[in-house]
Amino acid sequence: MAKRTIVNMPGDGIGKTVLPEAIRVLDAVGFDAEYVHADIGWEFWINEGNALPQRTIDLLAEYKIGLFGAITSKPKDQAAEELSPALRDKGLVYSSPIVGLRQHFDLDICIRPCRAFAGNPLNFIRRDGDGFVEPPVDSVIFRQNTEGLYGGVEWTDPPAEVRAALETHPKMARFKECAGEDLAVSTRIFTRRACRRICRAAFDYAKKFGYKSVTVCEKPNVIRETSGMMRAEAKTIAKDFPEIALWETNIDAQMMWLTKNPEDYGVLIAGNMFGDIISDGFAGLVGGLGFACSANIGDELAVFEPTHGSAPKYETLSPSIVNPIAMILSACMMLDHLGETDKSKRIRDAVAAVIAEGKVRCYDMKRMTGRQEVISQGAATTQQMTDAIIGKL
Ligand code: NAI
Ligand code: MG
């Protein structure tokens, strides 16, 4: 297979710590690739007024596959304060570069697998009669990544024409007397194309990896139009997959069922915000942020990243304490995407072996509060965890 070129975007904080660890594992498994560094994150906002420089977009457009660590985002006023003095008063407005990346390249399919590794002390345990059970959670969330409540079409004090258009809806009568500055509107826009794509991708994945059910997790009884469209598209696509059951749950009930019967769910589909919620919920059952990996996939381009952020408070600790597994599993998703499934399986098996053995555990797996002393108290460093995984390959 020809040598691959991967666009390497460590970003901020612990993104810079965990991404090189994933590359060490990829090298050790024999993945033949070269990595080109691309700038993204807070320092580029401060110094250039753009957290997602055009040169990074160009590299991604050229090489099509990206590995991303994490970025730091801060509220609007703080972003304006930290901007380099030379760039102030130019009307620059900060926006999250990872959200920007997803929208720019239409990376509309977000995949977040949540699988429990046997022996992980962070796995969810449920009371069962007088004893306890550890449900074998193996769920994969397909989250629509570019539309819905995170689509960014929103106003406080909407312009007159927007207000007028909204007031053509009978349900707006209740808000008629509300002053503009006291009225905030965030839209939830779904397109049929995007609903179709996320549903299709979810069913394809369920078939490819042998999942028996796909669950649409929305709220169509209340949010009739958008959730209703997702549900309708799922039903249509399900007809092409007679061997896979289509289930429907409401997001609120699903959160309750997380602790009741999470092992019953295979692939799940949701819009942007509900997908964010259920994927964090499921991730919590299988070890949390140190284990939560994800893929952002478009027609032409794909970017793989851990779900966690830049955890700035751990950035400067030396040695580093954060768990590299979420990033390493994200690299496995990249291998799957590239068809290198034998290599991704070897890495996952190695991660599973280290976890099952239980000798090397980062601070999160020991339920310690994150600080430098955890290392002298027996927690593994980031690099020791990676070394242990490489040792099992
Ligand atoms: P965070 O995910 O960075 O950290 C939350 C907590 O989770 C940490 O304090 C730590 O206890 C734990 N944690 C995170 N990653 C871990 C790892 N690999 N191993 C062990 N423990 C880990 O989220 P937070 O603190 O809300 O945000 C920090 C910054 O990251 C903010 O600027 C935020 O905007 C940004 N962020 C970026 C994301 C991205 O790049 N995709 C996603 C989430 C937040
Ligand atoms: Mg989230």
Side-chain angles (χ1 to χ4, degrees):
M1 180 157 291
K3 198 181 184 88
R4 300 271 184 185
T5 302
I6 309 296
V7 180
N8 189 3
M9 296 171 281
D12 297 311
I14 65 164
K16 292 188 185 136
T17 312
V18 293
L19 186 43
E21 298 302 299
I23 293 174
R24 283 212 288 140
V25 178
L26 289 168
D27 286 345
V29 84
F31 177 56
D32 190 19
E34 57 182 16
Y35 299 87
V36 290
H37 173 91
D39 296 332
I40 191 167
W42 198 247
E43 70 175 279
F44 304 99
W45 161 250
I46 294 178
N47 298 320
E48 302 177 23
N50 185 1
L52 177 58
Q54 183 61 39
R55 56 188 181 277
T56 296
I57 292 181
D58 293 344
L59 281 173
L60 280 167
E62 183 172 353
Y63 296 114
K64 316 277 190 236
I65 301 284
L67 272 179
F68 171 72
I71 49 88
T72 296
S73 273
K74 297 183 189 179
K76 210 166 145 186
D77 42 344
Q78 218 177 328
E81 272 166 31
E82 291 190 29
L83 188 60
S84 147
L87 293 170
R88 290 186 201 153
D89 309 319
K90 288 194 195 286
L92 297 167
V93 180
Y94 177 81
S95 64
S96 159
I98 181 67
V99 175
L101 252 185
R102 292 172 188 151
Q103 288 174 352
H104 180 89
F105 288 110
D106 197 17
L107 305 178
D108 62 329
I109 292 166
C110 176
I111 312 178
R112 292 185 169 180
C114 298
R115 299 193 178 98
F117 285 99
N120 184 349
L122 300 178
N123 285 345
F124 170 66
I125 293 191
R126 185 174 60 216
R127 188 179 288 279
D128 180 31
D130 292 331
F132 293 90
V133 291
E134 188 173 311
V137 176
D138 179 358
S139 292
V140 185
I141 290 84
F142 276 68
R143 165 194 177 194
Q144 206 295 324
N145 220 13
T146 47
E147 302 187 341
L149 267 173
Y150 296 176
V153 184
E154 52 181 2
W155 306 265
T156 298
D157 194 2
E161 58 272 39
V162 173
R163 181 109 193 215
L166 287 171
E167 283 175 0
T168 61
H169 196 292
K171 297 261 188 202
M172 272 302 283
R174 277 192 303 138
F175 305 108
K176 201 160 175 48
E177 302 308 320
C178 186
E181 66 269 26
D182 297 331
L183 186 74
V185 177
S186 300
T187 63
R188 187 178 205 253
I189 298 175
F190 280 29
T191 63
R192 197 174 301 283
R193 174 181 178 274
C195 292
R196 217 170 256 164
R197 279 175 53 86
I198 194 77
C199 292
R200 170 72 58 188
F203 273 97
D204 282 342
Y205 186 98
K207 182 170 178 171
K208 184 168 167 194
F209 293 102
Y211 288 89
K212 294 184 176 56
S213 68
V214 170
T215 303
V216 199
C217 178
E218 277 286 326
K219 185 93 183 179
N221 52 336
V222 179
I223 317 175
R224 310 183 93 83
E225 304 305 327
T226 44
S227 291
M229 183 178 281
M230 186 70 89
R231 172 174 185 259
E233 290 309 311
K235 284 184 124 173
T236 306
I237 287 166
K239 291 186 188 132
D240 296 341
F241 299 85
E243 71 283 17
I244 299 170
L246 174 65
W247 296 343
E248 294 175 38
T249 57
N250 286 334
I251 174 72
D252 46 348
Q254 182 72 61
M255 292 313 288
M256 182 186 61
W257 288 327
L258 276 189
T259 52
K260 194 162 169 266
N261 59 335
E263 68 272 39
D264 291 350
Y265 297 93
V267 172
L268 295 102
I269 303 169
N272 209 337
M273 187 191 191
F274 293 168
D276 204 9
I277 294 171
I278 38 167
S279 60
D280 274 15
F282 271 100
L285 303 175
V286 301
L289 289 174
F291 294 84
C293 55
S294 77
N296 305 281
I297 297 183
D299 262 343
E300 307 225 313
L301 206 136
V303 174
F304 302 85
E305 55 160 331
T307 307
H308 64 71
S310 60
K313 60 184 175 188
Y314 303 146
E315 175 180 6
T316 54
L317 298 189
S318 177
S320 169
I321 65 166
V322 293
N323 193 340
I325 290 179
M327 184 78 235
I328 291 168
L329 294 175
S330 303
C332 286
M333 295 186 77
M334 177 185 78
L335 292 175
D336 284 343
H337 182 75
L338 296 173
E340 304 254 17
T341 45
D342 54 329
K343 294 191 176 70
S344 58
K345 182 175 184 310
R346 281 180 58 210
I347 298 174
R348 286 192 188 100
D349 288 349
V351 170
V354 171
I355 294 172
E357 199 172 76
K359 281 196 217 146
V360 179
R361 289 176 171 171
C362 290
Y363 83 95
D364 55 334
M365 300 174 74
K366 290 179 165 283
R367 297 190 185 276
M368 291 172 160
T369 304
R371 50 200 171 85
Q372 192 69 78
E373 291 71 39
V374 298
I375 303 302
S376 60
Q377 293 162 358
T381 67
T382 306
Q383 288 72 21
Q384 284 168 341
M385 175 56 89
T386 311
D387 290 341
I389 293 166
I390 291 172
K392 296 284 182 199
L393 279 175

